[in-house]
Structure formats: structure tokens, C-alpha cells
């Protein structure tokens, strides 16, 4: 029998009567994600999803790596199926895990017997397989508490499976089960992490980026598109809506007090993102704002921003410190791109002394000097839509 991949479900198993809907969506996401790896049979039994290659040409390494990035899966392991017979299980363990058994100093065998018709119980299987493995590999010390290598045996309905330790999956909920939202994607560290974290809750994303030529360069735009591409291995294919922002920023600089530039700019961003959300059927906005990190992210400033937004604003990193955000950024692969020295529109016309505790009435008064509707309409008419995927 060919090697297979076993995926264990996370909080999907807690979904009660709706569980089958979550499992079906998860399997659909897995099938779509593995299309470029070959032909696989994907099915679910007893809180485990089985990924079986149907052809010798299937790329198991690529499929295994992809499965670790699919939200809804809590652990991933490669396993070897064998006949449901104690000696077949022993032979499979020796053949499949030989290199790991030779390299380890201590081990134990852990068995799960889902097929209650199997004549031996879990303890008996572990004792039998473990005892004979110890005879074959006499250098190994049996350690049932903290072994260097745990040999796993699973006796299930269709076959028995032997594997080593599982690796963590992405966790969370399947993409598409949490609704759809627009994420404001800048070129910084925080917004890609925020997008990743909300996607982990099953949210499908559309991206919005605000582009201000000639104050921001083409390299800055390409940097953001690359960040979006890097997120697709977690979030799936998505569209980046590139909104021209130069005219709006210039009008704000011309008509409004300097210390309110950033606040009024953020209010325009929220309005434009809401407009994109309505066009694309999204029900919320997602931002990378972190409380107190910069002047526009105080409680007062966030309240002023939210006043311009008629949709819920989700802020996954709001209570995190920068080191936590950077740690996630490195893990998901966006950090090195985020720190490239191409500045986005948020750095254009930055006030020397930004207002940290603004009053909403004052902000509305300053905005009255602007043709808000006209500026919005012209920006939305010129939106560029770019689809990004893992393939480029």
C-alpha cells in the first residue's frame, strides 16, 4: 500500500449538528489546494481526513507541506497503511520507521484501536509491537513518559496505519466558513499578520491597498502584491483592489490642519474599503491596527476612524506587542518582504505632531472643507483589480 497523509481535525469536531458542513468545506479546500500535487482521494472518517495518492507521480512532499497550511487541520502526519494483522503491523513499523528507530535513543509504541472488532486491545498491540521492536533495536530504551520517538499505530476500519510523531497543522476553521471580509493591506508587518489571523477563523479575504504615485513607487506596489501572494498559501487565491489615493491625500494636505492629516486619511480609507466590501459581498473590514503603537491607534483615534465606517472592524492584533507580531510574521513567511524599504501611502505627508486624542466634532468640521463624495467617486472609478495566487 502507498504512503498516505492523515489529517486530524481541530475545533471542527466541536461543531455539533453543523459539523458535516465544516468537514465538507474543509475537504473541498484540501482538494483544491492539492490539485497541483497530483491526483488524491480525500475522505473523512472518525475525525480524521485521509489523503490517499492515486498515482505514483503524486508529489507527496508538496502535498504534505500544503496540508500543514490548510486552516481547520490541527495535525498532519505521513503514514504507512498495512493489513490489520499484528505481524503485518510489526513488519510495517520496522520497514517504515527503520531510520528513525536506528537514530533514536528511547521509544514507546502508542496505539489507537478504532476498530473494536480487532482481537487485541490498544495496550496489547502496543506491548506486542514494542516488545518485538526492542528485540530488533536493542539499543533503544523503553520510555513511556518522555520518549525520543513515539511509534504510533492506528487500527481503523479500512486498514492499520503506522506513523511517527505528527506535526502541527494550521488550526482554526476552514476558509469560507467565517464569512467574507476586506482586509486593508499595507506594506508593513502588521497587516499581513492580521490578514493571516482572521483567515484562520475561516474568513475569506478581499484585499485593499491604497497607492499614491508619485509619492509611493512601483516597487512599493509590487511589494504589497508579493505580500498578498505569500498569504495565498494560507488564505487561498484572492483579489487585491488597488485604490488610487494621491488626489485624496493632496486635498487633505491642502485643506486640513496638519495634525489631523493621518486621522482624516484613515477615515477615507475606511469609507473606500466599505465601498469595496459592498461591491464584493463582504461583511466586515480587517485592519492591522495595534492599540497605542502609533498616534492614529489610540482609543480616541480608533473611535474617530470607526465613525466613518458602517461595517464591523476586526482588529486581530489589537492587543499584541510588536515582538509577538514579528514572530508570527516570520512563521508565515511575510517578514522579509514586509521590511523591504519601499514606503506605502501611510508615510506620505506624515504630520510632525499628530493628534493622539482627537475630537470627532472637530474632525467632521475639517472634513467639511473637502468634496468627500467626489473624491471617493473618482478613486473608486479608477480601482485596479489584481488577482494573486501561489502560482503568481
Amino acid at each position: 500500500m502507498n504512503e498516505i497523509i492523515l489529517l486530524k481535525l481541530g475545533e471542527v469536531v466541536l461543531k455539533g449538528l453543523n459539523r458535516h458542513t465544516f468537514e465538507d468545506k474543509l475537504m473541498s479546500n484540501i482538494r483544491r489546494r492539492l490539485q497541483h500535487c497530483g491526483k488524491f482521494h480525500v475522505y473523512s472518517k472518525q475525525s480524521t481526513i485521509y489523503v490517499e495518492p492515486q498515482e505514483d507521480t503524486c508529489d507527496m512532499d508538496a502535498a504534505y507541506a500544503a496540508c500543514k497550511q490548510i486552516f481547520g487541520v490541527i495535525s498532519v502526519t505521513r503514514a504507512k497503511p498495512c493489513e490489520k494483522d499484528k505481524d503485518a503491523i510489526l513488519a510495517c513499523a520496522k520497514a517504515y520507521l527503520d531510520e528513525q528507530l536506528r537514530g533514536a535513543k528511547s521509544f514507546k509504541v502508542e496505539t489507537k484501536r478504532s476498530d473494536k472488532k480487532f482481537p487485541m486491545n490498544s495496550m496489547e498491540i502496543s506491548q506486542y509491537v514494542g516488545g518485538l521492536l526492542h528485540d530488533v533495536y536493542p539499543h533503544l530504551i523503553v520510555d513511556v513518559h518522555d520518549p525520543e520517538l513515539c511509534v504510533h499505530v492506528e487500527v481503523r476500519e479500512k486498514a492499520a496505519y503506522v506513523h511517527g510523531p505528527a506535526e502541527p497543522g494550521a488550526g482554526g476553521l476552514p476558509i469560507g466558513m467565517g464569512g467574507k471580509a476586506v482586509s486593508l493591506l499595507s506594506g508593513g508587518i502588521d497587516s499581513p499578520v492580521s490578514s493571516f489571523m482572521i483567515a484562520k477563523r475561516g474568513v475569506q479575504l478581499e484585499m485593499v491597498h491604497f497607492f499614491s504615485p508619485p509619492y509611493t513607487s512601483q516597487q512599493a506596489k509590487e511589494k504589497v502584491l508579493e505580500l498578498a501572494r505569500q498569504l495565498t498559501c494560507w488564505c487561498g487565491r484572492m483579489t487585491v483592489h488597488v485604490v488610487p489615493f494621491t488626489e485624496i491625500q493632496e486635498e487633505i494636505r491642502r485643506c486640513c490642519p496638519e495634525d489631523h492629516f493621518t486621522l482624516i486619511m484613515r477615515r477615507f480609507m475606511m469609507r473606500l474599503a466599505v465601498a469595496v466590501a459592498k461591491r464584493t459581498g463582504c461583511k466586515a473590514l480587517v485592519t492591522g491596527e495595534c492599540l497605542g503603537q502609533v498616534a492614529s491607534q489610540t482609543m480616541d483615534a480608533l473611535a474617530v476612524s470607526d465613525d466613518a465606517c458602517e461595517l464591523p472592524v476586526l482588529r486581530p492584533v489589537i492587543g499584541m506587542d510588536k515582538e509577538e507580531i514579528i514572530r508570527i510574521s516570520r512563521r508565515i513567511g511575510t517578514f522579509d518582504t514586509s521590511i523591504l524599504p519601499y514606503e506605502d501611502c501611510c508615510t506620505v505627508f506624515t504630520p510632525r505632531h499628530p493628534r493622539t486624542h482627537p475630537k470627532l466634532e472637530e474632525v467632521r468640521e475639517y472634513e467639511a472643507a473637502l468634496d468627500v463624495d467626489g473624491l471617493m467617486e473618482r478613486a473608486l472609478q479608477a480601482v485596479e483589480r489584481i488577482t494573486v495566487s501561489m502560482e503568481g
Side-chain angles (χ1 to χ4, degrees):
M1 297 183 184
N2 290 327
E3 185 182 36
I4 71 168
I5 301 172
L6 300 179
L7 312 179
K8 299 299 174 71
L9 304 182
E11 61 183 287
V12 169
V13 301
L14 305 176
K15 293 302 176 184
L17 296 177
N18 291 326
R19 175 174 167 175
H20 72 281
T21 305
F22 284 80
E23 285 192 14
D24 290 346
K25 185 63 176 177
L26 177 55
M27 287 191 289
S28 173
N29 292 347
I30 292 168
R31 293 186 186 105
R32 183 171 57 252
R33 184 64 189 279
L34 297 182
Q35 285 178 348
H36 70 287
C37 301
K39 185 178 180 181
F40 289 86
H41 179 41
V42 179
Y43 61 96
S44 175
K45 284 185 179 295
Q46 297 173 316
S47 300
T48 298
I49 292 179
Y50 297 76
V51 179
E52 295 184 356
Q54 301 297 289
E55 300 169 340
D56 292 337
T57 55
C58 289
D59 188 339
M60 288 294 288
D61 291 337
Y64 184 66
C67 286
K68 290 192 289 184
Q69 295 179 311
I70 297 172
F71 292 124
V73 175
I74 197 170
S75 71
V76 184
T77 186
R78 294 167 79 147
K80 187 71 173 178
C82 66
E83 184 183 346
K84 289 193 289 185
D85 172 82
K86 64 179 183 178
D87 293 320
I89 293 170
L90 174 65
C92 182
K94 288 193 293 186
Y96 186 58
L97 299 176
D98 178 68
E99 184 177 346
Q100 296 178 57
L101 288 162
R102 290 181 185 280
K105 295 179 181 179
S106 62
F107 87 117
K108 75 170 182 178
V109 177
E110 190 171 288
T111 303
K112 292 182 180 179
R113 186 190 62 149
S114 301
D115 180 4
K116 302 306 180 185
K117 295 179 181 179
F118 192 77
M120 302 169 72
N121 64 32
S122 296
M123 182 66 73
E124 290 170 338
I125 297 169
S126 293
Q127 290 174 340
Y128 178 80
V129 175
L132 292 178
L133 283 177
H134 190 260
D135 291 343
V136 178
Y137 303 94
H139 70 284
L140 286 172
I141 299 170
V142 177
D143 184 346
V144 296
H145 299 295
D146 188 25
E148 187 175 330
L149 173 65
C150 185
V151 176
H152 293 270
V153 176
E154 300 187 32
V155 181
R156 293 182 172 269
E157 181 181 321
K158 186 177 178 181
Y161 301 88
V162 174
H163 60 86
E167 293 192 51
L173 295 173
I175 292 286
M177 295 306 298
K180 193 174 178 184
V182 166
S183 184
L184 282 67
L185 184 65
S186 71
I189 297 170
D190 301 345
S191 59
V193 170
S194 183
S195 300
F196 163 82
M197 291 181 67
I198 207 66
K200 188 174 181 178
R201 301 311 304 158
V203 177
Q204 183 180 346
L205 294 176
E206 298 273 336
M207 297 296 193
V208 169
H209 175 65
F210 299 96
F211 185 46
S212 297
Y215 305 107
T216 56
S217 65
Q218 183 64 27
Q219 290 98 319
K221 177 181 173 182
E222 291 301 323
K223 170 185 171 180
V224 169
L225 293 176
E226 179 58 24
L227 285 171
R229 290 187 193 100
Q230 290 167 347
L231 286 169
T232 58
C233 65
W234 304 96
C235 306
R237 186 168 68 172
M238 52 195 169
T239 300
V240 181
H241 302 257
V242 181
V243 181
F245 208 55
T246 307
E247 182 188 9
I248 291 172
Q249 287 188 290
E250 289 180 338
E251 280 298 291
I252 293 171
R253 182 178 64 168
R254 188 175 68 85
C255 299
C256 300
E258 182 186 359
D259 61 350
H260 281 69
F261 283 177
T262 303
L263 290 164
I264 296 173
M265 176 190 75
R266 291 293 298 177
R267 285 168 62 85
F268 268 96
M269 287 180 173
M270 300 302 246
R271 292 189 185 99
L272 289 163
V274 166
V276 172
K278 289 181 177 179
R279 288 179 173 180
T280 55
C282 296
K283 303 299 184 183
L285 304 187
V286 182
T287 75
E289 290 161 317
C290 178
L291 188 63
Q293 188 177 122
V294 295
S296 63
Q297 294 174 14
T298 64
M299 285 191 182
D300 291 335
L302 293 175
V304 167
S305 295
D306 286 353
D307 174 71
C309 180
E310 57 192 85
L311 292 178
V313 182
L314 310 178
R315 297 181 169 98
V317 302
I318 191 71
M320 300 174 68
D321 64 38
K322 199 67 176 182
E323 287 304 313
E324 291 175 294
I325 297 170
I326 289 173
R327 194 156 52 240
I328 297 172
S329 178
R330 291 185 187 277
R331 179 166 69 85
I332 66 176
T334 57
F335 179 76
D336 289 341
T337 301
S338 290
I339 62 173
L340 291 175
Y342 306 122
E343 296 182 328
D344 59 34
C345 71
C346 294
T347 61
V348 176
F349 310 142
T350 302
R352 289 165 293 180
H353 303 289
R355 194 71 171 271
T356 56
H357 300 289
K359 297 186 182 302
L360 180 57
E361 296 76 13
E362 286 186 354
V363 175
R364 288 174 173 170
E365 182 182 336
Y366 297 143
E367 276 186 344
L370 302 168
D371 177 14
V372 173
D373 292 340
L375 290 168
M376 289 266 300
E377 182 180 356
R378 289 190 290 277
L380 290 168
Q381 286 176 347
V383 170
E384 179 184 10
R385 297 167 185 84
I386 302 170
T387 300
V388 294
S389 64
M390 286 182 291
E391 290 74 32

